[in-house]
Amino acid sequence: MTRTLYLFCSAAPPVFDVAHVIEDAQARGWDVCLGLTPTAAHWVAGSLDGLAALTGHAVRWQYKLPGEPDVWPAADALLFAPATFNSVNAWALGLTDRFVAGSAAEAIGKGTPVVAMPCVNAALAAHPQFDQSVAVLRGAGVDFLYGDGGFVPGPAGPDAPAHFPWAAALDAVDRRVAAAAGGGASGAA
């Protein structure tokens, strides 16, 4: 049985590692569909054809037009990482003008197992809306990997975090799907 993972990425430096993440997910048995914010798509524009070839699916960053067929299979799980300050807040507030935020919001309503890992600096993480958004998403059942065991923000200024825990994010997806298949509670982190 093929399992489909929607991998959604915002424009943060870990997006440049997405090909390796796709390969890791594929090695774990996932059929990966890659969705990007418009800025993330711009950042990796030179790699879009290669990423589509790697996944076997069109890379999406915008909604399809009415009447167009859906080019992706249904998701068995969704991983939103790296999720920027803007993407986390838009998603939690239900602002769905962007494909990845809208699809992630819909996944919650469909009961799809959802895992998210932010990529924010400490200055943005200190904004009061960020904690509220994290709480909203966790309350909606998203396994939000932030803090111990997930992403820990560094200081404002550096272009890239020293280490983005991609493996921990994929491990969390595997656990959520296994818990959902076994009928167990998956509890948000």
Side-chain angles (χ1 to χ4, degrees), residues 11-14 43 119-124 151-163:
W43 283 16
C119 185
V120 297
N121 64 42
L124 289 173
F151 182 79
V152 177
D159 281 343
H163 171 70

Side-chain angles (χ1 to χ4, degrees), residues 64-177:
K64 66 182 184 66
L65 295 174
E68 286 184 339
D70 199 342
V71 297
W72 285 359
D76 294 297
L78 186 147
L79 171 60
F80 199 153
T84 60
F85 178 80
N86 185 59
S87 291
V88 169
N89 290 326
W91 181 18
L93 292 169
L95 303 176
T96 61
D97 60 324
R98 294 195 174 162
F99 169 72
V100 295
S103 297
E106 192 173 62
I108 292 170
K110 289 180 175 179
T112 303
V114 179
V115 174
M117 187 176 308
C119 185
V120 297
N121 64 42
L124 289 173
H127 189 285
Q129 183 59 52
F130 186 72
D131 283 340
Q132 292 175 14
S133 293
V134 171
V136 164
L137 293 170
R138 284 179 171 162
V142 173
D143 190 353
F144 200 90
L145 307 175
Y146 175 64
D148 292 337
F151 182 79
V152 177
D159 281 343
H163 171 70
F164 191 75
W166 280 112
L170 289 172
D171 290 345
V173 169
D174 288 338
R175 282 192 308 273
R176 285 292 302 264
V177 170

